[in-house]
Amino acid sequence: MKDSRHIPRWTLTISVFCAIAWLTLSPSPFGQSHVPSFPGADKCVHAFIFGALAAAIIHDWRKPRDPEAGKKHIYVIAASISILYGISIEFLQDAMNLGRSFDVADIAADIAGAVIAALTYFLLHRCGRG
């Protein structure tokens, strides 16, 4: 297995960023197949994917031996970027008029996911596990 230090620094962030764009902006990312869900599943997905983006940004920023790794601003910036991307996606969905619409509850879920992921990453780092 290759050492992850040989992977370009922002590969994970760019991959998650692109996956979110595809999942949220395409009219039907899973084609005609029906994905089983439960009430509120959409909000859970939003929280998860925007939390994943915040975590990817933090992970890519905090490569080993990075003197900035413990700085609190990294976590705030990562969560902020993820939140701003989530808000932008909502406006794009509305503007593109492809069957998706602007939803304030989606933005709330995006914010929750980004903040929870950044806070979790920060706390794990402080405990020596992140």
Side-chain angles (χ1 to χ4, degrees), residues 49-110:
I49 64 177
F50 287 94
L53 178 60
I57 293 167
I58 294 165
H59 173 79
D60 285 345
W61 200 326
R62 290 185 63 235
K63 287 293 184 178
R65 295 178 186 76
D66 186 346
E68 296 287 307
K71 306 276 184 173
K72 293 177 186 173
H73 72 275
I74 292 171
Y75 304 95
V76 173
I77 291 170
S80 298
I81 290 169
S82 184
I83 290 165
L84 289 173
Y85 187 46
I87 293 169
S88 300
I89 290 287
E90 290 303 314
F91 280 105
L92 283 170
Q93 286 177 337
D94 199 47
M96 292 172 63
N97 202 21
L98 293 174
R100 303 253 180 138
S101 61
F102 185 91
D103 186 354
V104 175
D106 285 350
I107 292 174
D110 301 345

Side-chain angles (χ1 to χ4, degrees), residues 6-90:
H6 299 300
I7 298 171
R9 188 170 187 156
W10 294 98
T11 301
L12 181 60
T13 297
I14 292 167
S15 298
V16 173
F17 188 89
C18 291
I20 290 172
W22 175 73
L23 287 169
T24 59
L25 295 175
S26 61
S28 184
F30 299 108
Q32 298 300 324
S33 61
H34 176 70
V35 178
S37 66
F38 53 90
D42 174 52
K43 305 313 172 234
C44 292
V45 170
H46 272 266
F48 177 80
I49 64 177
F50 287 94
L53 178 60
I57 293 167
I58 294 165
H59 173 79
D60 285 345
W61 200 326
R62 290 185 63 235
K63 287 293 184 178
R65 295 178 186 76
D66 186 346
E68 296 287 307
K71 306 276 184 173
K72 293 177 186 173
H73 72 275
I74 292 171
Y75 304 95
V76 173
I77 291 170
S80 298
I81 290 169
S82 184
I83 290 165
L84 289 173
Y85 187 46
I87 293 169
S88 300
I89 290 287
E90 290 303 314

